[in-house]
Amino acid sequence: MKFLILTLISNGPDPVTGRTPSAHERFRRVVDHAVLAEQLGFDGYAVGERHERPFFSSAPPVVLAHIAAHTERIRLFTGVTTLSLLDPVRAYEDYATLDQLADGRLELIIGKGNGSAQAQLFHVTTQDQWERNREGYELFRRLWREPKVTWSGQFRPSLTDAEVWPKPLQQPIRVWHGSATSRDSVELAARYGDPLFSANVTYSVEPYAELVRYYRERWAHHGHDPADALVGAGTAGFYVARNSREAVETYRPIFDARMRMFERLGLPVVFPTLEDYVERSSALIGSPAQIVDKVLRYHAELGHEVVHLHCDGDGLTQAEHRAALELFQAEVAPVLRREIPSRPLAAPIRLTEPPSTPSSPTEREQLAVPTA
């Protein structure tokens, strides 16, 4: 099994101290956590995309590019790239550039996104978001694979023999499809033979397992080898400690803050108590043995090879946050890697030689940029 850490860069009062970090502090902490994740041996670090309070994740390619400059090996994921809101050409340019800067470490998870601000900021509604996502991905996919693209659609200007630069370092970049509860993203992933990443955070496992079964059915329907289907899954929360009581009591202020946020935003409460949340949600809260047991139970339903830990460290001291991640890597990850074989994520691409520089006068002339 492979392990990612995911952040949506939410920002609000700390569940314990009540202090709200500045935007600068919050971004700094994201980068520090990504560096720590690489040091501890996590396989990937994912940054989501949201466009409303309390999230600072409106520009994931910028955040991931900064993380790329401070890391060397860890895979850089989006979680998710909201193609329903974006111009596919502009998104391609951003992420192809990021892949070059990151030595070919980028993995994209795309989705239609959610949140009420989408309609206000981008005029994308629940009526057209799925069609926008589908059309955006089909153009996006062609841009990765074809030197010139001629295309027309409903939601952006047409293209005729269009070249888009730069090309990514990876050819092509792997694209996962993020799915919460709808079959539209699942069908798109299965049709194109792409991996699926189940959100797996709001409800208990049953509706997500149903969607994953549907994905595998549609995968085979579209003529793909069933053995090639690849699934990842999220988690609703994370804290591991030496014993269950310590883990639950440390996490309780974080859960209580979550309930207050749900009440403020008018969101439905699926797990009304922390004990219910620990038992029935995908949250990984408990001792190492309890977390291993829960991941294995979820794997029996989902067959996933990649899991993300949603752990920003809110409500924890830096020492508690680091200790939990270290304990996970020491006592949880080795067992799950052994019990759940998984295909490797791509390694960073290393250039064997530095890029050549123009040596002849003609070459220098051709590459010269006018200064006037």
Side-chain angles (χ1 to χ4, degrees):
M1 178 161 269
K2 298 292 185 291
F3 302 101
L4 320 178
I5 290 179
L6 168 77
T7 181
L8 296 176
I9 321 184
S10 61
N11 198 55
D14 184 271
V16 173
T17 68
R19 180 179 177 275
T20 299
S22 68
H24 181 75
E25 288 177 288
R26 188 67 183 88
F27 282 121
R28 191 64 258 166
R29 193 169 77 188
V30 167
V31 177
D32 290 344
H33 285 178
V35 171
L36 176 62
E38 178 172 271
Q39 291 172 349
L40 295 180
F42 283 88
D43 300 289
Y45 192 87
V47 174
E49 181 178 337
R50 292 290 187 91
H51 296 272
E52 59 191 332
R53 290 178 181 269
F55 305 102
F56 286 157
S57 51
S58 57
V62 178
V63 178
L64 286 170
H66 194 65
I67 290 172
H70 287 77
T71 56
E72 294 182 354
R73 299 176 306 280
I74 197 165
R75 299 290 292 175
L76 305 176
F77 282 73
T78 61
V80 302
T81 295
T82 53
L83 272 187
S84 63
L85 312 183
L86 306 175
D87 177 356
V89 174
R90 194 69 187 93
Y92 168 90
E93 293 173 332
D94 285 344
Y95 284 112
T97 301
L98 171 56
D99 191 56
Q100 288 283 351
L101 292 171
D103 295 333
R105 288 186 281 147
L106 177 62
E107 303 232 5
L108 291 166
I109 307 176
I110 68 158
K112 56 89 180 171
N114 55 31
S116 58
Q118 293 186 176
Q120 179 184 1
L121 294 176
F122 299 97
H123 291 236
V124 173
T125 68
T126 55
Q127 288 72 41
D128 65 13
Q129 62 187 0
W130 291 111
E131 188 61 19
R132 286 177 178 272
N133 186 64
R134 179 201 60 76
E135 179 181 290
Y137 176 61
E138 289 175 352
L139 173 56
F140 196 63
R141 180 182 178 87
R142 289 186 60 189
L143 292 170
W144 292 115
R145 289 165 170 79
E146 300 175 26
K148 294 185 179 182
V149 174
T150 296
W151 174 91
S152 64
Q154 182 180 355
F155 299 108
R156 81 166 314 279
S158 61
L159 301 173
T160 302
D161 258 359
E163 288 186 288
V164 188
W165 290 89
K167 298 302 178 186
L169 192 55
Q170 299 177 89
Q171 296 290 339
I173 288 173
R174 178 160 57 185
V175 176
W176 303 65
H177 295 253
S179 171
T181 58
S182 171
R183 293 188 170 195
D184 294 80
S185 291
V186 170
E187 172 63 27
L188 197 62
R191 185 194 317 167
Y192 285 105
D194 294 328
L196 179 73
F197 214 105
S198 172
N200 193 39
V201 296
T202 305
Y203 306 102
S204 55
V205 71
E206 292 81 13
Y208 304 110
E210 181 182 349
L211 277 178
V212 170
R213 287 193 294 270
Y214 179 71
Y215 167 69
R216 297 185 189 278
E217 291 169 7
R218 297 304 296 170
W219 178 278
H221 171 82
H222 288 293
H224 306 300
D225 185 342
D228 292 335
L230 177 60
V231 175
T235 59
F238 169 79
Y239 187 69
V240 60
R242 284 294 175 188
N243 62 74
S244 175
R245 180 181 178 84
E246 178 188 350
V248 168
E249 292 311 311
T250 301
Y251 198 84
R252 192 173 297 279
I254 301 170
F255 178 81
D256 291 343
R258 176 190 176 99
M259 290 299 99
R260 290 193 295 271
M261 181 186 73
F262 277 30
E263 182 179 359
R264 185 173 68 253
L265 298 177
L267 299 174
V269 174
V270 179
F271 309 106
T273 68
L274 175 56
E275 289 70 22
D276 187 41
Y277 182 66
V278 171
E279 175 62 28
R280 292 195 304 117
S281 83
S282 63
L284 302 179
I285 300 165
S287 68
Q290 288 172 311
I291 288 180
V292 167
D293 178 68
K294 176 174 273 191
V295 173
L296 290 176
R297 285 192 283 117
Y298 267 70
H299 176 73
E301 297 287 339
L302 303 174
H304 58 310
E305 298 180 23
V306 182
V307 65
H308 80 51
L309 307 181
H310 196 171
C311 52
D312 277 335
D314 296 325
L316 305 173
T317 66
Q318 290 186 12
E320 288 172 330
H321 179 64
R322 183 182 185 111
L325 295 178
E326 288 177 338
L327 184 58
F328 180 89
Q329 285 289 20
E331 299 190 17
V332 178
V335 177
L336 293 174
R337 291 187 195 278
R338 183 177 66 248
E339 294 294 323
I340 304 174
S342 56
R343 283 156 278 194
L345 301 176
I349 297 172
R350 300 299 184 192
L351 297 177
T352 55
E353 297 178 3
S356 60
T357 54
S359 55
S360 71
T362 303
E363 285 180 295
R364 288 194 293 271
E365 224 171 70
Q366 289 173 343
L367 294 176
V369 178
T371 57

